[in-house]
Amino acid sequence: MPESNFDVSVNLTVEPTDQATSVDVLIVGLRHQDSLSPSLGELDQLGGGWLTRLLESGQLRGKRGELTMLGVPTDSGPQMLLVVGLGESELSRLDAFELSAAAIRSLLDRPRGRVEVRFADTFASEHHDVVVAGALTACEGQALYRSEPSLKLPAEIAFPGVSQKQLDRGRVIGESINHARRMVNEPPAVLYPASFAQSVLDLFADTETSVEVWDENRLAEEGCRAILAVGAGSSRPPRLVMMSHLCGGDEPPIVLVGKGVTFDSGGLSLKPSDAMIDMKCDMAGAATVVGVMNAISCLGLKRNVIGLCGLAENMVSGTSYKLGDVIKTRSGKTIEILNTDAEGRVVLADTLDVAKGLQPQAIVDLATLTGACMVALGRDVVGAMTNDSNLLEQIESAATCEGELLWELPMFRHYDDQVKSKVADIKNIGDGRWGGAITAAKFLENFVDELPWVHLDIAGPAFADQPKPYRDAGATGVMVRTLLRWIES
Ligand code: BES
Ligand code: MN
Ligand code: ZN
């Protein structure tokens, strides 16, 4: 097994640069059709009005997202100047995150020493945390196994004018997103149920967050026959991971549930090769739960939050679960299997039942559950389904604030009949492929009963096939920021 050579050890500071330290690249923002900011004005004067001339000739513009790298024609000061176009509309939290990330990402083509991000006056101080988080997420890519690292990380990134508190918070957010992305980007031979579970034990060792892992024997004792069925075809047995952060007194816990199918071949309902290529990403829901729990734990939130990951590998062999099988789930409800590729909901059936047993105030599940959700909403938007519109409103407003795209799909009772089975309580597919994201959610609803619950289908946005200026292709860490904000508020 090759070892990944991932190492996001960037030194982050808030210290302003003194006379003796040299800055390789100074990053400064420029509003559209605006005059030079004080920091640019100073450099302009030192260089005999060079920036004013560039502005006047239209070489330098403030178009949102446009990056202009300039050599600085003076003896002192930074070597290079990176001007980041800020556009003309009001700057949001998402702008702070993405523009900071895009600026840093554009510098990773070669080694650099000190990079100074002068954004403290550009973005509101409440958004300084995501300026830092964005810079960190830019430094994490999917090329974990290139002999030569494809992203050359700067020795130091300085954020003068950002408070130490916002720097630390931003680091936690950035690292939590990166941790989730890293888990998803790891190949399935490296990350399988047992190694996923072990990595969670390692991550939370020496923290207030306690971790419990159920192996296949414990899963059998607990009656988690649905999780075991999905994992039955694999030589890598399933696991359930429970992370408990109980720092909120006696409030009932929030429970986060993640689909953790570490590889989805489709099982006997085998996927064609093209559809299987990215199926290492099928544990993104579970990885997101780990990322959010890491942030909660590092920030020491005074809340009760429990994260549950249902982990299995969906494979083909003589011991695979079969079409026509009927499984008695942990809840006692029976499921008829009519497609082994609709495995995520089967894993979640037992995982949601474990969540229910924790007497939560709310359950939020995250799952790369259906291709149908991508057909409905495209690649970049999370599909949200709920039995409690108040709870979803809270999560929607957190998502809006963070700039993560989420859209509700209806849960009309009209759909209920589609998951009824002729031989068991429910079947694991709807009638045909229409409304597939919703019929999957209808299946899940059977396992939460009346508890307030939101289901987030992240099949589209969890994994990107193209890079963006602010992020490499591959895992995205979608919903870490939104869920953290929701839990904090
Ligand atoms: N993991 C897939 C869904 C998926 C597709 C995630 C593309 C990310 C990208 C899921 O297990 C699946 O195979 N769903 C089936 C359900 C169908 C058999 C009812 C699907 O969407 O085709
Ligand atoms: Mn599947
Ligand atoms: Zn799947």
Side-chain angles (χ1 to χ4, degrees):
M1 189 97 41
E3 256 208 52
S4 89
N5 46 30
F6 160 90
D7 178 26
V8 183
S9 52
V10 201
N11 189 7
L12 304 179
T13 65
V14 293
E15 308 305 330
T17 310
D18 57 37
Q19 296 278 302
T21 331
S22 66
V23 171
D24 283 25
V25 186
L26 176 66
I27 300 176
V28 181
L30 176 68
R31 294 290 274 182
H32 186 63
Q33 313 239 292
D34 204 359
S35 50
L36 300 172
S37 64
S39 8
L40 281 177
E42 203 178 301
L43 271 172
D44 186 45
Q45 276 187 356
L46 284 171
W50 63 298
L51 290 170
T52 302
R53 282 197 296 280
L54 289 173
L55 260 182
E56 282 170 356
S57 65
Q59 292 303 312
L60 195 55
R61 310 182 297 179
K63 199 168 163 253
R64 187 192 183 279
E66 188 168 78
L67 302 174
T68 313
M69 185 76 145
L70 300 163
V72 178
T74 59
D75 302 340
S76 58
Q79 215 174 54
M80 305 291 288
L81 176 66
L82 176 59
V83 181
V84 180
L86 303 171
E88 39 198 341
S89 45
E90 203 188 317
L91 293 169
S92 67
R93 202 167 156 75
L94 183 68
D95 291 318
F97 182 81
E98 285 186 359
L99 292 171
S100 170
I104 294 294
R105 188 166 143 76
S106 75
L107 301 178
L108 306 182
D109 60 336
R110 65 197 73 181
R112 320 238 178 212
R114 182 178 167 96
V115 172
E116 188 170 307
V117 182
R118 203 156 311 159
F119 275 166
D121 297 327
T122 305
F123 298 104
S125 57
E126 81 231 47
H127 301 331
H128 285 176
D129 55 349
V130 286
V131 168
V132 176
L136 269 181
T137 54
C139 294
E140 166 85 23
Q142 66 173 344
L144 301 176
Y145 293 88
R146 287 253 174 94
S147 306
E148 280 296 312
S150 60
L151 303 180
K152 296 168 184 75
L153 306 187
E156 183 181 358
I157 307 178
F159 301 88
V162 168
S163 69
Q164 187 65 46
K165 198 168 164 218
Q166 284 290 66
L167 182 96
D168 292 342
R169 193 182 144 78
R171 191 203 313 266
V172 167
I173 297 171
E175 283 176 353
S176 299
I177 294 170
N178 282 349
H179 191 87
R181 293 171 66 209
R182 173 84 188 287
M183 292 181 89
V184 175
N185 283 334
E186 284 286 6
V190 174
L191 204 92
Y192 46 90
S195 67
F196 183 117
Q198 185 58 50
S199 81
V200 177
L201 286 167
D202 296 345
L203 182 66
F204 293 103
D206 316 313
T207 71
E208 301 263 295
T209 304
S210 63
V211 180
E212 189 174 309
V213 176
W214 293 0
D215 66 5
E216 62 272 38
N217 300 320
R218 178 75 189 270
L219 285 167
E221 278 164 33
E222 293 280 347
C224 293
R225 287 168 295 263
I227 296 178
L228 288 164
V230 172
S234 172
S235 56
R236 304 288 198 187
R239 294 287 182 268
L240 181 141
V241 172
M242 187 184 307
M243 294 154 273
S244 304
H245 174 90
L246 301 174
C247 300
D250 27 86
E251 64 162 9
I254 287 171
V255 181
L256 305 176
V257 172
K259 168 179 172 182
V261 173
T262 57
F263 185 71
D264 182 11
S265 73
L268 291 172
S269 311
L270 193 64
K271 285 182 186 294
S273 214
D274 280 352
M276 210 189 289
I277 286 176
D278 288 333
M279 279 305 129
K280 68 174 183 183
C281 85
D282 215 17
M283 34 56 76
T288 306
V289 171
V290 175
V292 175
M293 293 306 298
N294 182 65
I296 291 169
S297 177
C298 292
L299 295 173
L301 297 194
K302 297 273 172 283
R303 302 297 305 271
N304 292 333
V305 187
I306 300 175
L308 288 176
C309 299
L311 303 167
E313 192 180 61
N314 189 20
M315 295 295 281
V316 185
S317 78
T319 54
S320 295
Y321 77 139
K322 302 173 192 73
L323 292 81
D325 270 347
V326 173
I327 301 159
K328 185 163 184 189
T329 62
R330 185 174 191 268
S331 71
K333 288 190 176 139
T334 52
I335 311 175
E336 183 189 15
I337 301 300
L338 294 178
N339 190 319
T340 61
D341 197 14
E343 84 299 339
R345 65 198 75 181
V346 179
V347 170
L348 288 174
D350 279 346
T351 317
L352 287 169
D353 188 66
V354 175
K356 229 178 87 184
L358 299 167
Q359 277 131 4
Q361 55 173 299
I363 301 177
V364 177
D365 81 71
L366 296 112
T368 46
L369 203 63
T370 66
C373 197
M374 300 162 75
V375 174
L377 297 175
R379 290 224 55 156
D380 299 325
V381 179
V382 176
M385 285 142 272
T386 189
N387 60 1
D388 185 313
S389 53
N390 279 332
L391 179 62
L392 180 54
E393 266 169 41
Q394 291 172 21
I395 290 172
E396 272 174 335
S397 84
T400 305
C401 183
E402 295 295 334
E404 296 197 289
L405 303 175
L406 177 155
W407 200 255
E408 183 177 6
L409 298 176
M411 287 283 278
F412 303 127
R413 291 244 293 278
H414 155 86
Y415 297 100
D416 288 358
D417 287 347
Q418 285 212 34
V419 292
K420 290 195 174 132
S421 158
K422 293 197 194 86
V423 300
D425 296 328
I426 45 176
K427 59 182 164 63
N428 79 330
I429 51 171
D431 301 328
R433 60 195 180 96
W434 308 117
I438 298 168
T439 49
K442 279 287 165 187
F443 176 100
L444 299 180
E445 194 178 24
N446 280 281
F447 298 92
V448 292
D449 290 337
E450 307 296 302
L451 281 168
W453 158 74
V454 165
H455 160 58
L456 300 173
D457 192 329
I458 57 171
F463 199 82
D465 55 358
Q466 295 298 325
K468 302 265 194 199
Y470 56 88
R471 189 188 60 219
D472 197 0
T476 65
V478 69
M479 288 291 111
V480 171
R481 282 178 288 148
T482 293
L483 290 174
L484 177 63
R485 170 159 297 268
W486 169 61
I487 290 163
E488 277 188 310
S489 63

